[in-house]
Amino acid sequence: MGFDFAQIDGILNARSIAIVGASNNPLKFGGMLTASQLAMGFAGPVYLVNPNEEEILGHKAYPDLLSLPEPPDLVYIVIPADRSLEVLEQCGQRGVKGVVMIPAGFREAGEEGAALEQEVLRLAGEGGFRIIGPNCFGIYNPRNRLTLLPGYDFSTSPGDVAFLSQSGGLSSHVARLGQSLGIHFSAIVSYGNGVDIDAADLLRYFARDPQTGVIGAYLEGVRNGRAFLDALKEAASQKPVVLWKVGKAASSQQAVMSHTGSLAGSVEIWEAAFRQTRVIQASGIDEVCDVLLALRHLGWRPGRRILVSGGGGGLGTNAADLAGLAGLDIPPLNEGTDRKLTEILGRAGAVVSNPLDIGTPLLPLPMFEATMREAAANPNTDVLIFDLAMNFAMRMAGEEGLYQVADVLTRVREESGKPVVMVLYSRACDPDDLEPERVLRNMRSKLLEKGVAVFPSMRRAIRAIALVN
Amino acid sequence: MGFDFAQIDGILNARSIAIVGASNNPLKFGGMLTASQLAMGFAGPVYLVNPNEEEILGHKAYPDLLSLPEPPDLVYIVIPADRSLEVLEQCGQRGVKGVVMIPAGFREAGEEGAALEQEVLRLAGEGGFRIIGPNCFGIYNPRNRLTLLPGYDFSTSPGDVAFLSQSGGLSSHVARLGQSLGIHFSAIVSYGNGVDIDAADLLRYFARDPQTGVIGAYLEGVRNGRAFLDALKEAASQKPVVLWKVGKAASSQQAVMSHTGSLAGSVEIWEAAFRQTRVIQASGIDEVCDVLLALRHLGWRPGRRILVSGGGGGLGTNAADLAGLAGLDIPPLNEGTDRKLTEILGRAGAVVSNPLDIGTPLLPLPMFEATMREAAANPNTDVLIFDLAMNFAMRMAGEEGLYQVADVLTRVREESGKPVVMVLYSRACDPDDLEPERVLRNMRSKLLEKGVAVFPSMRRAIRAIALVN
C-alpha cells in the first residue's frame, strides 16, 4: 500500500487498543505485554481479549474482538502465527485502523510462513487496515503511553527522537538505554518483517512528524531498495538520520534472512546509498546512542576543531591519535588563550598546549573554573572536552567535590555557549565498591540535564563528535 | 647502556627503597607516593628522605641519601627536575642499583630539559646505576609490593601479565582496571621518557622473565627503532605481546613530542613492523584489557569458529555482522547438534541455528543447561558465546537466578574444556538503580574466577576473540 501519513499517525497515536492474547501469565509474551501496557497507563481504553479468561490482571476479559463495546483504533495480536488470520478477519469486520502483529513464524521461518504472510497482507487490504510486524515488539509512544515489549518501565516523558527497528530486542534496549542517558523519544517502532508498514513508510512518516527532530534506525535489509532510498533521502533532507545497518558482511546475510526474512544487500550498494544522503552511519547500540547524545547536546555539525583537556599526558596523546584517525583537528591554542592559561596554571605541573594537561586529575576549584572558562573561550576550537577518571578523583575531591566539578562544566557550557563534553569513567569496578559508579551516574545526570554531553571513553566521545560533523 | 637482565631484575625486585621528596602533603606527588607505598606494605626498608621534615606519616625522615644507614637498592626521586642532579650524584656515591625519576621537565619540555636529561644519563653512567623515567609513575610489583603513582589500592596478588607504558596515568589505569577484571600482573613499569631503560630493554626483560606469560605495552614512540623492533621480535617469539601504539596519526605526533619527547614514526613503518612479528595490535585501554582477558581465558589462538547464543534475533544478526567484519566464522550447526538442540528447545519460540536464538532472555534452568552443554559440544565451533542483558533478565530470574546462570556457564566451560564467553551488560543505568550493576559485577567475578571470559558488549567480545587468533 502507498504511504499515508494519517494512517500511520492514527496507529502510533491510537486512542483505544485491544490486546488479543492478553494473559495472566507473566512468562508469555501476551502476559508481558498486558502487564507492561497496564503499568504504562495507556491514555484510553485497553480491551483485553482471551476466550479462556473472565478476568486478566483485575480487568474484564473479552472472548473476541466482535464482543468489544467499540472498535479499537489499534489491535495487538499476541497469539501464534497460525491462529492470527481469523483475528485479522475480525479486525476488518470491526474497522480498526491498525494491527501490531507480535508473533514470529512468518516469512523468516520458511515457505509456509511466507504463504501465511501473504494471507496477512491480503486480509489487511480487504479489511482496510495497516499492519506493523509480524515478528516484532510493537510501538512505544510516551504521549499516548503505548509501550512495546517488554517495556515495563519506560519513560513517560516525550522527546524528539524517533527510532525504527527491525529487531524487537534492540528497540527495547534503545528505549531503556536512551532513558538512562536523558534521550527522550517521540516514538519507537519495532516493525519486524515489515510486511506492510516498512522502513520506507516509517522514515517518510517521521520525516514529516513535527514532533520528531532526529530519526534513528536499526536495519537488517529492505525489500524495495528504491523506495527505501527515496524515503531515506527525503528524511535526511529534513533532519539527521542515524542509521545502524547490519548484514553488510557476507556471513551475516544468512542470519538476517533467518531473523526477519530480509535481503541485506551488498556493502557496496549501501555505502553508495549513504554517500548520496546526509545520513549518519553508526554501528552498535552504544554508538547509536552516543550519536543521539551528541546531536542533542552538540547539535548537527558543531565543528571539527576540539580542545582536549584533562590531568595527564597519555590521555591527550591518545585523544590526538583518535582525533587524527577520525578526521577531527586539535589545533594549537590561540596565542591569547595560551598566555592566559599559562598565567592561571603557572608552575602546577601543567603542560599548556592542545591537548591541555592540567597536571593532576583535579585542580583547586577556582583554578579549575578559570582554566575551563579560558579553554572554552579559545577562539580557534569548537568543542571543549574534559577527561576525568573517577576512582582517583573521588579520593582526591570526595563526592561533593565531584559534583562541584560538574557544576563548573555546566556553568562554562552555559556562559560560553559552546559545546562542552565530559569523558567520565571509572577504572575500578570491583563488586564491593559501587560508590564511584553511583557518584558517576549522579554526575552524568547533572551534566546531561544541563546540556553537557557525557561519554564513557575518549574513543567514543571523539567518534561521536566526528559522526555528527 | 646495553641490555642487562640482572640489572633490571634487581631494580624491579628491589629489597630496600628510598623516597627522595617524601612528604606529609597528600596533594604532592611525593606525598602520594609515600602514602601509597607505605599502605602497599613494601617487603623491606622504606627510607623517607626530606631535609625539611623530622617525621613523615609517622616514620623517621632522613635529610639526604648519604645519611641512610645502608644504601637502598632503589631510589625514587620525587623532587623537581632541576634539583634532581645532586641526588643522582649521591646515588652514585652510595652505590644504588637503580633510580626511578618521577618528575617531568626534561626532554619533553624543550632544549633546556633535554640538556638536563643528558646530565642525568652521564651521572647514571658514572655512578654505575640504571634509571627508569624521568617523567614517569614508576614500578608496580605485587611480589615485593612496589607501587607506582597513585597506586594506593593495587592488588597484592601476583600474576603473569607484564605491562610497560610511556604514560604514567595509563599504567595506573591498567593496574586498577586489570585488578577489577581478575587480570594479575608480574609487574607494571611506567618508564616515561625512557632516557636509560627503555621499551626495548623492558621487552627483552619480560621476554626472559619466567614469571611473565604475556606482555602488554603502551607506546608513543621510540628513539632507537632498530633496537626496539629487534626486542619486539624476540619478545613476540617467546610470548604474546599486546601492543597499543599511539602517535600514528600525523596530528598526534606533536602531542607525543610534548608528552614524552619521543618520535612517533609513520604509520607505515609501524604497520610493517607489526606484520613481521606475532604481536597483537590493540588500541585503547579497554581493548588492551579485553585482549589480556581473552588470552587469560581463551588462550592464544582458540580458533575462529564461534557459536553465538542469546535470547533474540537482533543480537545474533549483529554478532554475525561483527564476526564477518572481524574475520571470525559463524558456521552452520553440526547436524547432530541441530537435532539435539531442536529436541531440547522444542517449540519455545527458539530459532535453532548459528546464531542460536533461545527465544527469550532466559530459559528454565535445566533447559538452559542442556542447551549450553549441546552448544559447547558442537564439533565445528571453537568458542561458545552467550549474550545476556541484565535489566530484563534480573526482573525475570532475580539475583539468585542470575548467579545460577553463571554457575551453568562455568560448569559447561569446565565439562566441555572449550572456551565459553559471556557478553553481559545492562541497558538501564539510572542513578537510583544500582542493583543490576551490583549483580552484574558479582556475576562477572564468579565467571572470571572460573575461567569464563566476560565482555560488556558483543562488539568487544568478537574483537577480542579475533585479536587473539
Side-chain angles (χ1 to χ4, degrees):
Chain A
M1 282 171 256
F3 171 72
D4 185 327
F5 182 88
Q7 278 184 321
I8 299 177
D9 200 55
I11 292 172
L12 266 52
N13 294 294
R15 280 174 298 190
S16 56
I17 61 172
I19 300 175
V20 179
S23 164
N24 284 303
N25 182 347
L27 293 179
K28 285 187 161 183
F29 272 7
M32 272 180 220
L33 184 66
T34 305
S36 298
Q37 191 57 75
L38 292 174
M40 187 79 175
F42 177 71
V46 179
Y47 299 109
L48 305 181
V49 178
N50 187 330
N52 305 317
E53 303 284 351
E54 295 274 301
E55 207 181 86
I56 295 166
L57 302 175
H59 296 257
K60 174 178 166 60
Y62 296 85
D64 53 31
L65 289 176
L66 302 178
S67 50
L68 301 189
E70 60 165 347
D73 283 352
L74 180 62
V75 173
Y76 283 86
I77 295 184
V78 207
I79 58 174
D82 53 3
R83 285 163 44 206
S84 62
L85 297 186
E86 57 182 307
V87 179
L88 290 173
E89 274 174 18
Q90 293 182 6
C91 288
Q93 290 170 43
R94 291 308 304 257
V96 308
K97 290 180 182 166
V99 176
V100 171
M101 296 188 69
I102 304 284
F106 291 90
R107 182 179 24 168
E108 84 288 355
E111 268 180 46
E112 211 174 311
L116 206 57
E117 205 171 281
Q118 284 309 307
E119 272 300 287
V120 167
L121 207 50
R122 189 183 62 76
L123 289 168
E126 282 179 17
F129 56 85
R130 305 293 306 259
I131 288 177
I132 288 179
N135 190 18
C136 77
F137 276 8
I139 302 164
Y140 163 57
N141 180 351
R143 284 189 184 76
N144 62 357
R145 306 208 175 171
L146 276 184
T147 194
L148 48 71
L149 277 172
Y152 47 86
D153 58 355
F154 290 171
S155 165
T156 52
S157 305
D160 76 338
V161 177
F163 196 81
L164 52 117
S165 169
Q166 263 171 297
S167 159
L170 284 167
S171 306
S172 67
H173 286 318
V174 166
R176 202 60 197 76
L177 184 55
Q179 182 173 345
S180 289
L181 297 175
I183 298 169
H184 300 290
F185 296 93
S186 53
I188 294 178
V189 182
S190 154
Y191 66 94
N193 292 7
V195 60
D196 176 18
I197 293 175
D198 64 4
D201 293 314
L202 291 167
L203 279 172
R204 283 228 160 84
Y205 172 77
F206 287 126
R208 294 171 199 198
D209 174 29
Q211 291 170 319
T212 295
V214 173
I215 304 171
Y218 168 80
L219 280 183
E220 299 189 342
V222 293
R223 262 168 288 182
N224 185 340
R226 189 70 254 159
F228 171 76
L229 290 180
D230 286 348
L232 184 60
K233 215 174 286 182
E234 182 185 329
S237 71
Q238 303 292 317
K239 32 197 105 171
V241 179
V242 185
L243 195 55
W244 174 13
K245 172 72 179 73
V246 299
K248 290 181 201 161
S251 63
S252 60
Q253 303 207 353
Q254 182 51 44
V256 166
M257 178 50 80
S258 61
H259 181 213
T260 51
S262 310
L263 291 172
S266 78
V267 59
E268 291 78 15
I269 293 171
W270 280 91
E271 296 293 332
F274 295 149
R275 269 197 300 275
Q276 291 166 29
T277 66
R278 274 173 47 206
V279 165
I280 301 168
Q281 275 195 80
S283 168
I285 183 171
D286 289 327
E287 192 167 285
V288 166
C289 287
D290 286 347
V291 169
L292 294 175
L293 207 63
L295 286 170
R296 179 174 172 82
H297 297 293
L298 282 69
W300 171 244
R301 300 214 166 138
R304 297 188 166 273
R305 301 169 306 170
I306 60 176
L307 197 164
V308 174
S309 59
L315 73 92
T317 307
N318 182 36
D321 211 40
L322 295 167
L325 298 172
L328 298 184
D329 296 327
I330 305 197
L333 293 177
N334 175 279
E335 208 177 303
T337 308
D338 194 314
R339 200 174 47 243
K340 284 179 200 156
L341 285 174
T342 304
E343 273 168 33
I344 296 164
L345 290 165
R347 336 180 307 113
V351 180
V352 174
S353 65
N354 188 14
L356 172 65
D357 175 1
I358 63 172
T360 163
L362 288 175
L363 295 167
L365 215 60
M367 194 191 277
F368 178 63
E369 182 148 6
T371 301
M372 288 296 110
R373 190 173 288 134
E374 287 308 328
N378 183 50
N380 61 345
T381 45
D382 309 301
V383 179
L384 170 63
I385 302 180
F386 179 66
D387 176 291
L388 187 69
M390 282 296 296
N391 33 327
F392 189 55
M394 178 110 172
R395 197 176 167 93
M396 284 182 82
E399 181 171 357
E400 286 310 315
L402 287 176
Y403 297 153
Q404 287 168 348
V405 165
D407 289 342
V408 165
L409 292 175
T410 60
R411 272 201 298 278
V412 166
R413 198 257 175 277
E414 206 166 294
E415 289 166 14
S416 70
K418 269 196 198 169
V420 175
V421 167
M422 184 158 196
V423 175
L424 186 63
Y425 49 91
S426 174
R427 296 300 182 208
C429 46
D430 307 313
D432 55 359
D433 183 23
L434 280 167
E435 272 298 284
E437 178 69 20
R438 183 179 65 76
V439 178
L440 184 153
R441 290 182 182 191
N442 281 330
M443 278 184 85
R444 186 172 58 200
S445 285
K446 281 171 187 291
L447 290 160
L448 293 173
E449 250 170 50
K450 297 286 180 67
V452 175
V454 182
F455 298 97
S457 70
M458 188 61 77
R459 170 180 303 271
R460 284 174 58 177
I462 282 180
R463 175 100 180 131
I465 297 169
L467 283 170
V468 299
N469 262 296
Chain B
M1 283 170 256
F3 171 73
D4 184 327
F5 182 89
Q7 277 184 323
I8 299 177
D9 200 55
I11 292 172
L12 267 53
N13 294 294
R15 280 175 296 190
S16 55
I17 60 173
I19 301 177
V20 179
S23 165
N24 283 303
N25 182 347
L27 294 179
K28 286 187 160 181
F29 272 8
M32 273 180 218
L33 184 67
T34 306
S36 299
Q37 191 57 75
L38 292 174
M40 186 80 175
F42 177 70
V46 179
Y47 298 109
L48 306 180
V49 177
N50 186 331
N52 306 316
E53 304 283 350
E54 296 274 303
E55 204 181 87
I56 295 167
L57 302 175
H59 295 258
K60 174 178 167 57
Y62 296 86
D64 53 32
L65 289 176
L66 301 179
S67 50
L68 302 188
E70 59 165 348
D73 282 353
L74 179 61
V75 173
Y76 282 87
I77 295 184
V78 208
I79 57 173
D82 53 4
R83 286 163 41 206
S84 61
L85 298 186
E86 57 182 307
V87 178
L88 290 173
E89 274 175 20
Q90 294 182 5
C91 288
Q93 290 169 43
R94 295 304 308 254
V96 309
K97 290 181 183 166
V99 176
V100 170
M101 295 188 71
I102 304 284
F106 291 89
R107 182 178 26 167
E108 84 289 354
E111 266 180 48
E112 211 173 313
L116 206 56
E117 206 171 279
Q118 282 310 307
E119 272 300 287
V120 167
L121 206 51
R122 188 183 60 77
L123 288 169
E126 282 179 18
F129 55 87
R130 305 293 305 259
I131 289 177
I132 288 179
N135 190 17
C136 77
F137 276 9
I139 301 164
Y140 164 57
N141 180 351
R143 283 189 186 77
N144 63 355
R145 305 208 176 171
L146 275 184
T147 194
L148 47 72
L149 276 173
Y152 47 86
D153 57 357
F154 290 172
S155 165
T156 53
S157 306
D160 76 338
V161 177
F163 196 81
L164 53 118
S165 169
Q166 263 171 299
S167 159
L170 285 166
S171 307
S172 68
H173 288 317
V174 165
R176 203 58 197 75
L177 184 55
Q179 181 173 346
S180 289
L181 298 174
I183 298 168
H184 300 289
F185 297 92
S186 52
I188 294 179
V189 181
S190 155
Y191 66 95
N193 293 6
V195 61
D196 175 18
I197 292 176
D198 63 6
D201 293 313
L202 292 166
L203 279 172
R204 283 226 161 85
Y205 172 77
F206 287 125
R208 294 171 201 198
D209 174 28
Q211 292 171 317
T212 295
V214 173
I215 304 170
Y218 169 80
L219 280 183
E220 300 189 342
V222 292
R223 261 168 287 181
N224 185 341
R226 190 69 254 160
F228 171 76
L229 291 179
D230 286 346
L232 184 60
K233 213 174 286 184
E234 182 185 328
S237 72
Q238 302 292 318
K239 32 196 107 171
V241 179
V242 185
L243 195 55
W244 174 12
K245 171 70 180 74
V246 299
K248 290 181 200 160
S251 63
S252 60
Q253 304 208 350
Q254 182 51 44
V256 165
M257 179 49 80
S258 60
H259 182 213
T260 49
S262 308
L263 292 172
S266 78
V267 60
E268 291 77 16
I269 293 171
W270 281 91
E271 296 294 332
F274 294 151
R275 270 198 300 277
Q276 292 166 30
T277 67
R278 274 173 46 206
V279 165
I280 301 168
Q281 276 195 79
S283 169
I285 183 171
D286 289 327
E287 191 167 286
V288 166
C289 286
D290 287 348
V291 170
L292 294 175
L293 207 63
L295 285 170
R296 180 173 172 83
H297 297 294
L298 282 69
W300 171 245
R301 299 216 165 134
R304 297 189 166 272
R305 302 169 305 169
I306 60 175
L307 197 163
V308 174
S309 59
L315 73 91
T317 308
N318 182 36
D321 211 41
L322 295 167
L325 298 172
L328 297 184
D329 297 327
I330 305 198
L333 292 178
N334 176 278
E335 208 177 303
T337 308
D338 194 315
R339 198 173 50 243
K340 284 179 198 156
L341 284 174
T342 304
E343 272 168 34
I344 295 164
L345 290 165
R347 336 180 306 111
V351 180
V352 174
S353 66
N354 188 15
L356 172 65
D357 175 2
I358 64 172
T360 163
L362 288 175
L363 296 167
L365 214 62
M367 194 191 278
F368 178 64
E369 181 147 7
T371 301
M372 289 295 110
R373 191 173 288 134
E374 288 308 329
N378 183 51
N380 62 345
T381 44
D382 309 302
V383 178
L384 170 63
I385 302 181
F386 179 66
D387 175 291
L388 186 68
M390 281 296 296
N391 34 326
F392 190 55
M394 178 111 172
R395 199 178 165 93
M396 285 182 82
E399 180 171 356
E400 284 310 315
L402 287 176
Y403 297 154
Q404 287 168 349
V405 166
D407 289 342
V408 165
L409 291 174
T410 60
R411 271 201 298 277
V412 167
R413 198 258 176 274
E414 207 166 295
E415 288 166 15
S416 71
K418 268 197 198 170
V420 175
V421 167
M422 183 157 198
V423 175
L424 186 63
Y425 50 89
S426 175
R427 295 300 181 208
C429 45
D430 307 312
D432 54 359
D433 183 23
L434 280 167
E435 272 298 284
E437 178 69 19
R438 183 180 64 78
V439 177
L440 183 153
R441 291 182 182 190
N442 281 330
M443 280 183 83
R444 185 172 58 200
S445 285
K446 281 172 189 290
L447 290 160
L448 292 173
E449 250 170 52
K450 296 287 180 65
V452 175
V454 182
F455 299 97
S457 71
M458 189 62 77
R459 171 182 302 272
R460 285 174 57 177
I462 281 179
R463 175 98 180 131
I465 297 169
L467 283 171
V468 298
N469 263 296

